[in-house]
Amino acid sequence: MTKRHFTTVLALITGAAVLFFGLNFLLNPGGAPDGFGIEPWPQGNAAGYFVVKGVRDLAVAATVFLLLARGQRRTLGWVVLIDAILPLGDAFAVLTHGGSLTAALGVHISAASVVLLTAVMLLTERPAEDSVQRPAGA
């Protein structure tokens, strides 16, 4: 497997994971929060947070898949780098709202690490070679 193929797989995993998390928070609001790391389940209007998180994650996933499908790998690298803020912010939320260090590190910091690795790989890969050789001086 070439570095480019591996990077594509990482980008697909990044998009698929955030798509899964977004759909899980929208379609399974009773169960999804257990893996996030903050207890207890919010009461009243606070439960609306999970809709916000779900929609946010779907938008991130759509952006990743769109840029990957359009072949905008360098732009995707910058977007994924910026998106690393999200799991870092989630880890901060867990740590500052009664969650455990284990959840913050195991769930969110590990996710941020994969996202950052993906961004670095996208930003440092060489452009694909043109299949048609251009004449000298063209």
Side-chain angles (χ1 to χ4, degrees):
M1 177 182 281
T2 67
K3 179 184 175 189
R4 187 173 177 87
H5 288 115
F6 182 70
T7 304
T8 299
V9 169
L10 281 177
L12 287 169
I13 290 170
T14 300
V18 85
L19 175 66
F20 169 78
F21 297 138
L23 288 173
N24 196 27
F25 272 90
L26 290 173
L27 302 175
N28 183 25
D34 292 338
F36 192 78
I38 298 176
E39 295 292 334
W41 169 255
Q43 302 297 314
N45 287 336
Y49 158 77
F50 295 115
V51 173
V52 173
K53 183 184 178 343
V55 171
R56 174 196 83 171
D57 288 353
L58 292 180
V60 170
T63 303
V64 168
F65 292 137
L66 174 69
L67 291 172
L68 193 57
R70 304 255 322 141
Q72 301 293 318
R73 297 175 73 84
R74 185 129 180 104
T75 302
L76 176 59
W78 286 110
V79 168
V80 169
L81 181 64
I82 293 166
D83 287 348
I85 294 168
L86 298 171
L88 292 173
D90 292 347
F92 181 74
V94 168
L95 291 173
T96 58
H97 289 85
S100 71
L101 179 61
T102 302
L105 293 175
V107 176
H108 304 291
I109 299 299
S110 65
S113 299
V114 172
V115 172
L116 287 170
L117 172 66
T118 303
V120 167
M121 291 185 74
L122 284 163
L123 290 170
T124 60
E125 75 181 13
R126 292 197 167 116
E129 296 295 323
D130 290 334
S131 59
V132 178
Q133 294 292 329
R134 297 180 188 190

